[in-house]
Amino acid sequence: LAREDDDTFTLARSWNARTTALLMLGRWDETIAAADEAVDAYQACGIPEASGYMRNAQGIANLALGRIPEALAALEEGRKLASDMENPRSEGISLISLAWGHWLGGDHERSAATADRAVAAMRRAGGAAELPLVESLAEAAHAGAAADLDAAADALVRAARSPGHSLEIISA
């Protein structure tokens, strides 16, 4: 219907919903493709606010597929889009996923620095519900950078048990 009426905003939102559903189902390649469609439609209608979240979804899907460079590129684009829109929550979401991507890529120091930026963004967002999770992941990243694997594991367990989980946050 959105296509028939040339309603690009509704089309963008439908691709956004599809991306979210596919992300929840773990259908990674389809998540990536749907997010591209959503971003294109958001840009076409001149309302790019949700594009950062869509790039974050792509990043999470690429991380799940072991495609670290592609994930980092999508997550960095999502972070930049959120920053440009002055949306600290969206920026924090992208940054914590980006920190996790650096962790999975073996760059624990960069993971820790990026996680600190995520915590700062979430605090700017007014103490978002995800803040305890993000703080625990930052602690894990710092422990990983210090090669303290026991402390990193403890922090990851706290992250997994913390409130504020959503589809937008990578799994700890």
Side-chain angles (χ1 to χ4, degrees), residues 1 5-7 12 36 39 63 86 95 102-103 105 107 119 126 138 145 155 160-161:
L1 292 174
D5 291 339
D6 198 28
D7 182 351
D36 274 335
V39 169
L63 287 174
E86 297 181 5
L95 282 166
H102 289 307
W103 173 286
D107 190 345
V119 169
R161 293 181 178 156

XYZ file of all heavy atoms in Angstrom, residues 1 5-7 12 36 39 63 86 95 102-103 105 107 119 126 138 145 155 160-161:
155
model
N 0.810 -1.192 0.000
C 0.000 0.000 0.000
C 0.857 1.261 0.000
O 0.525 2.233 -0.673
C -0.943 0.003 1.212
C -2.047 -1.034 1.222
C -2.801 -1.011 2.542
C -2.982 -0.828 0.060
N 0.755 4.218 -2.901
C 0.463 5.605 -2.567
C 1.709 6.492 -2.608
O 1.635 7.671 -2.291
C -0.158 5.704 -1.172
C -1.546 5.109 -1.112
O -2.186 4.980 -2.178
O -1.991 4.766 -0.002
N 2.846 5.898 -2.969
C 4.118 6.623 -2.987
C 4.382 7.280 -1.628
O 4.815 8.429 -1.543
C 4.153 7.658 -4.114
C 5.582 8.108 -4.430
O 6.512 7.303 -4.211
O 5.755 9.261 -4.862
N 4.132 6.522 -0.567
C 4.307 6.989 0.810
C 5.629 6.423 1.328
O 5.668 5.364 1.956
C 3.117 6.516 1.651
C 3.170 6.988 3.089
O 4.202 7.546 3.515
O 2.164 6.777 3.795
N 9.382 3.234 4.668
C 10.570 3.175 5.534
C 10.237 2.500 6.855
O 10.987 1.627 7.333
C 11.112 4.579 5.780
N 19.042 -2.109 4.763
C 19.419 -1.271 3.613
C 18.185 -0.631 2.991
O 18.197 0.560 2.662
C 20.147 -2.096 2.544
C 21.638 -2.207 2.790
O 22.205 -1.322 3.462
O 22.236 -3.183 2.298
N 16.933 2.193 5.306
C 17.769 3.394 5.232
C 17.513 4.146 3.933
O 17.361 5.380 3.934
C 19.266 3.039 5.395
C 20.156 4.220 5.059
C 19.544 2.558 6.820
N 27.968 -9.165 12.938
C 28.731 -9.781 14.030
C 28.322 -11.236 14.200
O 29.175 -12.111 14.393
C 28.523 -9.019 15.339
C 29.198 -7.659 15.450
C 28.791 -6.965 16.739
C 30.712 -7.785 15.350
N 22.090 14.194 16.731
C 22.142 14.538 18.155
C 21.195 13.659 18.974
O 20.401 14.136 19.780
C 21.859 16.026 18.362
C 22.903 16.901 17.698
C 22.680 18.385 17.895
O 21.748 18.783 18.649
O 23.441 19.162 17.302
N 27.489 2.601 19.750
C 28.827 2.526 20.351
C 29.037 1.246 21.141
O 30.117 0.652 21.083
C 29.079 3.747 21.242
C 29.439 5.030 20.512
C 29.327 6.234 21.439
C 30.846 4.931 19.912
N 34.705 -4.621 18.350
C 36.158 -4.539 18.575
C 36.617 -5.677 19.493
O 37.692 -6.250 19.288
C 36.539 -3.185 19.178
C 36.408 -2.039 18.221
N 37.007 -2.025 16.977
C 35.746 -0.863 18.326
C 36.724 -0.896 16.361
N 35.942 -0.182 17.155
N 35.789 -5.995 20.481
C 36.105 -7.116 21.388
C 36.233 -8.399 20.575
O 37.209 -9.128 20.705
C 34.996 -7.241 22.432
C 35.103 -8.440 23.333
C 34.838 -9.740 23.011
C 35.517 -8.444 24.700
N 35.031 -10.550 24.088
C 35.455 -9.783 25.137
C 35.911 -7.453 25.583
C 35.786 -10.146 26.445
C 36.232 -7.823 26.881
C 36.180 -9.158 27.301
N 36.785 -8.727 17.506
C 37.918 -8.618 16.596
C 39.266 -8.693 17.298
O 40.309 -8.646 16.639
N 40.534 -6.510 19.539
C 41.120 -5.214 19.901
C 40.469 -4.735 21.202
O 39.573 -3.897 21.204
C 40.905 -4.197 18.774
C 41.675 -2.918 18.969
O 42.166 -2.663 20.101
O 41.796 -2.147 17.996
N 28.999 4.557 27.376
C 28.486 4.906 28.703
C 28.195 6.404 28.758
O 27.130 6.825 29.228
C 29.479 4.485 29.809
C 29.086 5.080 31.154
C 29.559 2.962 29.899
N 20.090 10.540 29.487
C 19.255 10.637 30.680
C 19.170 9.349 31.465
O 18.140 9.057 32.056
N 31.221 -2.191 29.446
C 32.426 -1.349 29.486
C 33.426 -1.910 30.484
O 34.633 -1.969 30.206
C 32.063 0.090 29.841
N 40.988 -5.673 28.163
C 42.174 -4.913 27.747
C 43.326 -5.121 28.718
O 44.491 -5.103 28.318
C 41.840 -3.426 27.637
N 32.082 -9.486 34.671
C 31.365 -8.322 34.149
C 30.382 -8.734 33.048
O 29.282 -8.182 32.958
C 32.354 -7.276 33.638
N 24.784 -9.730 31.325
C 23.710 -10.634 30.894
C 22.534 -10.609 31.863
O 21.389 -10.799 31.450
C 24.252 -12.053 30.756
N 22.796 -10.346 33.124
C 21.740 -10.328 34.144
C 21.158 -8.936 34.384
O 20.193 -8.807 35.131
C 22.302 -10.863 35.454
C 22.648 -12.330 35.380
C 23.177 -12.828 36.701
N 23.466 -14.253 36.612
C 24.323 -14.880 37.381
N 24.974 -14.234 38.324
N 24.525 -16.176 37.227
